[in-house]
Amino acid sequence: MQSQFDTPLYWNEEELQMIKGTNLLEGTEKIKQWLQNALSIICKMDETVELKDVVWAYTVFSSRAIGVNKNDNMKEYECDINSSNVVPSLVPFVDILNHHPDSKVKFLTDNESQSFSFELECSPVDGKELWNNYGAKTNEQFLLSYGFLQDPKFGSYWVQVAILEHDPLKLHKGKLLKDLKLCNRYYFTKTEIPADFFLVVQILLLDEIDYMFLPTTTHKNQFHISSTKNQLTTYATIIQLLQARLNRFTSPSTDEDKKQLLDPNISFKKRLALSYLIEQKEILQAVIANVKEMQTNFITQNCTNTHKMISYLHQNMDTQKLNSDGLLNKLHLSYSAGELLLNLNLKDGERNGPYGLEIAEEDIICVSNFLSEDSFLSIVLGHCADNEIQLEEDVVLSLILINEKRKKEKSKWFHFISALPETFQNALYYNDTHFDLLEKTSLAEIAMDIQGFITDQLFVVKSIQKQFPNLLPITFFTRESLKWAYTVSLVFGVDVKTTEGNKRCILPFLPGYNHLIAPILKNSSPNKFNYSTFLTDGKVVCNYEQKTNEDLLISHGIFVEKNPFDYLKIDFRKFLRSDKKLPDSIMSTHFFKCGSLSSQLVTSLENNHFALQSVLKVVQDLCQSVQDNISKAETLEDNISTLIKYYLQSQLLVLIDVEKKIKELKK
């Protein structure tokens, strides 16, 4: 037998470095470590054995072994070495035959004569080579075990994914993957992307809300996650994952690799390394392009708001006017899933696909645009850093806004700031009367938290004012001004991708009040809004993404009628005593929508009369409390009370439905 092979176990360091970042190198390193461990065991029996001997023996066996069936007598079988009946064996003479993917062969055993037979379906021809078939393997497997590559059409790239250790839904997701018979490793080719891989990533990315409303079937073909947010995030995550894998390769571009391959003096092993590397790069590039196309098609079919906005802009807006207002093609805005970058080039005319508006980087309100030497913000942030003072990013933006507002016409953003309302209707503007109306609701807790946060941040601002009274005049930097500015940052603030990384920014002339692009929420009656995309008063509307009414009331001070993303949240720990020995599955936060109870809650209540009665009592008490507060809200005439009334009415509808469903369980 030969003493040297062409498998990666026999490559030198330079040759291995050529495949840095590939799955092949990772697999090679694992085998080397395994062989090193095997050597330590073997040396206890024979100290003369060296690592090169173990590597040679392993390579001989892995490149020549044939699966021999130890049970079946003269029956054709597949060479599946994972079968308990098949024993990997060295078969003299047969193991010298080379591989051909089209060769049709049979393996047979005869237990009586203790013999193994190898048969070809075609008749041998004198002077022609006889071929074996090593089975359906990828090029990576052929290279690792045998030291050769087939045609690139046999190339593939595998990706393995797993549930994060700190994922609060880890156990639930693990069970779901098992029930659906989904694995964690998938192989991609240039033209094929496993459909199951998308489903696995969707499950891994589920949040607690999406998980509550999953289909109950465990039939993979019928299991569908309908959340648009989840699907968009899945596409973005897969693209990000594959791009990160592609970026791991340290070699030059694919074109440079191909040029090296043309060098007639290159060694055979380097030629193998380059050929494999080119194959892996091209597969990843093709898969990324395919997923991006799928992503674009999905958005085109499911996210039409941006299409309408762009169409209207081209038909009704003057490009020069847009550019003078700062709508230039310099900065990509994130859309929906966060990683999904969309852009609009106004000069090119309308193109296919969804796009987002672009604003010049110097025209956005972000920290980096205000950090010139000795600037207002540089001094404030420098003081905070020196004294270990923490200012939340939106609060820093709020200070910028207040400072720009006091500049009046001298501010670059004067027209934007002067057009903003002086007061809002979001949670920062709730008073004691409003909190009384929200008694026992989750909105009340969130609203109290955000008001408490502003109080804490104001205390920090006041400590800075003592050091720099001229920079932060007490007449301008007040609780009311901070409340106003922080609300503006909530309404207009977005996370934007720039050349310097992610930035928290305020984008003038994007979704807001009385601006170039208005909210998607149509005012059909005082303080009541319909969730739709439309054009009104010469303004274009756009999407605030998938937010519940609690989210919208907290940040924007608006309510969406028949909001499809809305739900009722009840933390039963706040209403039930823990010493009553209720199951942990009940003593937690639960989410409800009309028409359904979570399977977790149903399981906990069935055959547990005490638990059912306890939960039912909580729901009935909440129903009564909400009804009483709706009656109180109807006697009040301010806009915030009206919004709260709409919110309470939507919560009451779900509570009544939950009460009905629990009573049905009782029967």
Side-chain angles (χ1 to χ4, degrees):
M1 290 185 182
Q2 65 200 83
S3 59
Q4 292 290 318
F5 296 86
D6 294 318
T7 67
L9 290 175
Y10 283 82
W11 293 5
N12 60 35
E13 193 59 34
E14 182 184 359
E15 291 157 349
L16 289 173
Q17 281 300 308
M18 295 175 70
I19 58 170
K20 188 175 181 180
T22 66
N23 292 330
L24 177 61
L25 181 60
E26 184 179 330
T28 302
E29 296 296 339
K30 286 182 178 179
I31 293 174
K32 282 185 174 181
Q33 184 59 54
W34 181 81
L35 294 176
Q36 187 68 54
N37 295 338
L39 175 64
S40 63
I41 297 172
I42 295 171
C43 283
K44 293 178 181 179
M45 298 176 283
D46 186 347
E47 294 181 354
T48 64
V49 177
E50 299 179 23
L51 181 61
K52 64 178 182 179
D53 302 320
V54 179
V55 172
W56 175 84
Y58 172 84
T59 306
V60 167
F61 195 79
S62 66
S63 64
R64 291 173 174 266
I66 293 175
V68 175
N69 194 315
K70 61 183 180 180
N71 291 333
D72 289 340
N73 189 28
M74 295 305 290
K75 290 183 180 178
E76 180 185 354
Y77 63 90
E78 293 184 1
C79 179
D80 181 7
I81 61 172
N82 294 315
S83 170
S84 59
N85 292 330
V86 175
V87 180
S89 309
L90 294 180
V91 181
F93 304 111
V94 174
D95 63 9
I96 66 173
L97 297 180
N98 288 324
H99 166 76
H100 195 289
D102 297 328
S103 180
K104 296 181 179 179
V105 300
K106 293 180 181 179
F107 299 99
L108 304 102
T109 54
D110 187 343
N111 291 332
E112 292 182 5
S113 61
Q114 295 290 294
S115 64
F116 169 84
S117 297
F118 170 83
E119 294 184 3
L120 290 169
E121 286 195 5
C122 60
S123 300
V125 179
D126 286 344
K128 296 291 184 180
E129 183 175 358
L130 295 180
W131 298 95
N132 191 357
N133 190 323
Y134 295 173
K137 293 181 173 64
T138 66
N139 264 340
E140 187 172 296
Q141 291 169 323
F142 279 118
L143 190 52
L144 193 57
S145 296
Y146 304 99
F148 69 82
L149 291 171
Q150 292 192 106
D151 187 282
K153 70 180 181 181
F154 294 99
S156 67
Y157 186 92
W158 61 264
V159 172
Q160 189 163 305
V161 292
I163 306 170
L164 295 176
E165 280 298 322
H166 61 270
D167 191 332
L169 296 174
K170 180 180 178 181
L171 295 178
H172 299 292
K173 291 179 180 179
K175 183 178 184 302
L176 185 57
L177 292 172
K178 183 178 180 181
D179 291 343
L180 292 170
K181 296 180 174 59
L182 294 167
C183 60
N184 64 346
R185 178 180 288 194
Y186 290 91
Y187 288 82
F188 299 83
T189 68
K190 288 182 181 180
T191 57
E192 293 184 16
I193 304 173
D196 283 0
F197 178 72
F198 283 93
L199 182 55
V200 169
V201 177
Q202 276 193 280
I203 291 172
L204 296 183
L205 293 173
L206 284 171
D207 59 27
E208 292 179 343
I209 303 302
D210 288 336
Y211 178 79
M212 296 293 289
F213 301 102
L214 286 177
T216 55
T217 180
T218 55
H219 295 288
K220 189 164 54 180
N221 294 335
Q222 301 171 10
F223 190 89
H224 177 66
I225 300 173
S226 59
S227 167
T228 301
K229 177 188 69 176
N230 177 273
Q231 293 185 59
L232 285 171
T233 307
T234 296
Y235 285 122
T237 300
I238 291 174
I239 291 170
Q240 189 179 34
L241 169 65
L242 297 178
Q243 189 62 54
R245 291 297 190 91
L246 186 60
N247 294 341
R248 281 165 48 177
F249 299 151
T250 56
S251 70
S253 66
T254 306
D255 290 338
E256 290 296 321
D257 293 334
K258 289 180 178 179
K259 285 182 182 178
Q260 287 190 57
L261 203 55
L262 296 175
D263 184 355
N265 298 318
I266 195 171
S267 70
F268 180 71
K269 290 176 183 175
K270 285 186 177 180
R271 191 174 297 279
L272 283 175
L274 280 171
S275 299
Y276 168 75
L277 188 63
I278 292 168
E279 171 194 283
Q280 296 289 283
K281 285 183 179 180
E282 289 183 341
I283 291 171
L284 277 172
Q285 289 164 350
V287 173
I288 290 170
N290 289 339
V291 177
K292 284 184 176 179
E293 183 179 357
M294 295 166 68
Q295 178 191 60
T296 300
N297 291 338
F298 177 82
I299 298 168
T300 302
Q301 296 167 13
N302 296 276
C303 310
T304 59
N305 296 331
T306 313
H307 285 293
K308 295 179 181 179
M309 178 178 71
I310 300 310
S311 176
Y312 180 82
L313 282 173
H314 284 302
Q315 294 172 20
N316 298 280
M317 299 293 182
D318 176 32
T319 302
Q320 290 300 116
K321 176 65 167 63
L322 288 175
N323 285 340
S324 67
D325 280 343
L327 295 176
L328 304 176
N329 304 307
K330 293 184 180 179
L331 182 65
H332 290 178
L333 305 182
S334 294
Y335 176 81
S336 194
E339 295 296 333
L340 189 55
L341 297 183
L342 310 169
N343 67 83
L344 164 67
N345 188 330
L346 295 172
K347 296 178 182 178
D348 290 348
E350 189 168 6
R351 297 175 289 172
N352 292 328
Y355 302 99
L357 285 173
E358 295 178 330
I359 296 180
E361 192 161 351
E362 62 267 21
D363 290 335
I364 65 177
I365 300 175
C366 63
V367 173
S368 59
N369 281 347
F370 292 83
L371 286 179
S372 58
E373 189 175 355
D374 296 328
S375 69
F376 151 81
L377 192 62
S378 295
I379 295 172
V380 170
L381 293 183
H383 172 76
C384 290
D386 293 340
N387 294 274
E388 297 184 352
I389 296 173
Q390 295 292 326
L391 278 179
E392 196 256 10
E393 195 169 10
D394 274 313
V395 174
V396 176
L397 288 175
S398 300
L399 296 180
I400 293 172
L401 271 174
I402 297 170
N403 195 53
E404 290 301 308
K405 186 178 182 181
R406 77 185 182 102
K407 289 181 182 179
K408 297 185 177 179
E409 289 87 348
K410 294 180 181 179
S411 170
K412 179 179 180 178
W413 293 274
F414 169 72
H415 294 292
F416 165 66
I417 293 173
S418 60
L420 293 169
E422 285 298 321
T423 186
F424 293 89
Q425 300 172 161
N426 71 335
L428 284 171
Y429 289 82
Y430 290 0
N431 57 32
D432 290 344
T433 300
H434 302 136
F435 280 111
D436 288 342
L437 295 176
L438 291 169
E439 180 189 12
K440 297 182 180 179
T441 65
S442 52
L443 177 59
E445 295 178 37
I446 304 171
M448 286 179 183
D449 286 343
I450 196 170
Q451 288 201 5
F453 168 77
I454 288 297
T455 300
D456 294 340
Q457 291 293 298
L458 181 64
F459 180 79
V460 175
V461 171
K462 286 186 178 296
S463 69
I464 302 172
Q465 279 179 321
K466 291 179 181 179
Q467 295 293 322
F468 307 102
N470 294 328
L471 276 181
L472 283 77
I474 195 169
T475 53
F476 285 98
F477 291 84
T478 63
R479 179 182 178 82
E480 286 304 309
S481 65
L482 185 60
K483 210 163 67 170
W484 170 85
Y486 192 77
T487 300
V488 172
S489 73
L490 291 178
V491 174
F492 292 84
V494 295
D495 292 315
V496 175
K497 278 199 168 184
T498 72
T499 53
E500 301 171 8
N502 285 344
K503 288 184 180 179
R504 182 67 178 169
C505 309
I506 294 174
L507 302 170
F509 310 109
L510 277 177
Y513 298 89
N514 304 317
H515 286 286
L516 180 64
I517 303 175
I520 63 165
L521 304 168
K522 181 179 179 181
N523 195 341
S524 57
S525 61
N527 308 108
K528 195 171 184 179
F529 301 85
N530 291 322
Y531 195 82
S532 59
T533 302
F534 69 105
L535 303 172
T536 180
D537 300 327
K539 298 183 179 66
V540 187
V541 299
C542 68
N543 198 322
Y544 279 178
E545 301 177 6
Q546 299 180 9
K547 294 185 178 179
T548 67
N549 274 324
E550 283 189 359
D551 295 331
L552 293 170
L553 286 166
I554 289 293
S555 57
H556 295 73
I558 53 180
F559 176 85
V560 176
E561 189 176 26
K562 297 179 181 178
N563 187 339
F565 310 116
D566 221 3
Y567 57 82
L568 167 73
K569 181 169 70 175
I570 302 177
D571 185 350
F572 286 104
R573 290 168 295 189
K574 291 183 169 63
F575 305 103
L576 296 172
R577 289 171 53 184
S578 58
D579 60 355
K580 291 294 185 180
K581 297 182 179 180
L582 291 165
D584 292 340
S585 55
I586 290 178
M587 299 297 285
S588 61
T589 301
H590 291 262
F591 301 89
F592 302 93
K593 280 192 173 185
C594 280
S596 66
L597 295 178
S598 70
S599 57
Q600 179 187 14
L601 186 61
V602 171
T603 303
S604 302
L605 296 181
E606 285 179 334
N607 303 318
N608 189 333
H609 181 73
F610 175 74
L612 189 147
Q613 285 295 113
S614 300
V615 169
L616 180 60
K617 181 68 166 57
V618 170
V619 172
Q620 289 173 333
D621 288 347
L622 287 174
C623 278
Q624 187 60 55
S625 175
V626 170
Q627 284 176 326
D628 292 343
N629 288 327
I630 289 172
S631 299
K632 293 177 185 176
E634 288 174 342
T635 65
L636 303 172
E637 297 181 356
D638 65 290
N639 290 339
I640 291 179
S641 295
T642 304
L643 286 171
I644 290 174
K645 181 185 72 173
Y646 294 140
Y647 165 75
L648 293 175
Q649 287 172 339
S650 69
Q651 297 283 285
L652 181 60
L653 287 174
V654 183
L655 280 167
I656 292 172
D657 185 72
V658 171
E659 180 184 9
K660 178 183 175 183
K661 292 288 188 296
I662 294 175
K663 286 181 177 179
E664 289 174 357
L665 289 177
K666 187 177 180 181
K667 294 178 182 178

